[in-house]
């Protein structure tokens, strides 16, 4: 909860809708990705989590701003060093 509170402060000035678009995967790390995305979505009402409906081997995440692709795409779970 402490991390989410810090993120709320950080994202308080967010004025653009951010969509965290994830694939569907049976990979063992998929639940880690969904948990991370859920935590991020709690930090601002402008952060949305959606499924692409696409089935992939590995967890995948694409960042959208105002519904448009940004070119930022992760294969696997972002670990913080990205």
């Amino acid at each position: 909860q402490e991390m989410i509170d810090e993120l709320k402060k950080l994202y308080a000035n967010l004025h653009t809708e951010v969509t965290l678009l994830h694939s569907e995967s049976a990979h063992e790390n998929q639940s880690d990705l969904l948990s991370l995305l859920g935590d991020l979505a709690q930090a601002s009402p402008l952060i949305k989590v959606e499924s692409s409906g696409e089935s992939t081997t590995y967890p995948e995440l694409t960042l959208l701003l105002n519904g448009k692709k940004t070119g930022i795409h992760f294969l696997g779970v972002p670990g913080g060093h990205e």
Side-chain angles (χ1 to χ4, degrees):
Q1 182 60 42
E2 189 175 318
M3 179 184 75
I4 294 170
D5 291 338
E6 288 297 316
L7 289 172
K8 285 180 181 180
K9 292 176 193 174
L10 180 68
Y11 296 141
N13 295 322
L14 186 65
H15 300 290
T16 302
E17 184 178 282
V18 176
T19 304
L20 306 171
L21 188 67
H22 66 85
S23 65
E24 299 296 329
S25 173
H27 192 274
E28 63 188 45
N29 291 337
Q30 180 74 6
S31 62
D32 293 338
L33 177 63
L34 295 178
S35 177
L36 172 66
L37 299 182
D39 288 347
L40 289 171
Q42 289 182 47
S44 171
L46 290 175
I47 299 176
K48 312 290 183 204
V49 176
E50 294 181 6
S51 172
S52 66
E54 184 179 336
S55 181
T56 58
T57 302
Y58 300 101
E60 292 189 29
L61 170 65
T62 300
L63 181 70
L64 308 177
L65 293 179
N66 290 323
K68 297 180 182 174
K69 289 186 178 181
T70 61
I72 299 172
H73 182 85
F74 294 96
L75 178 60
V77 180
H81 61 278
E82 293 81 8

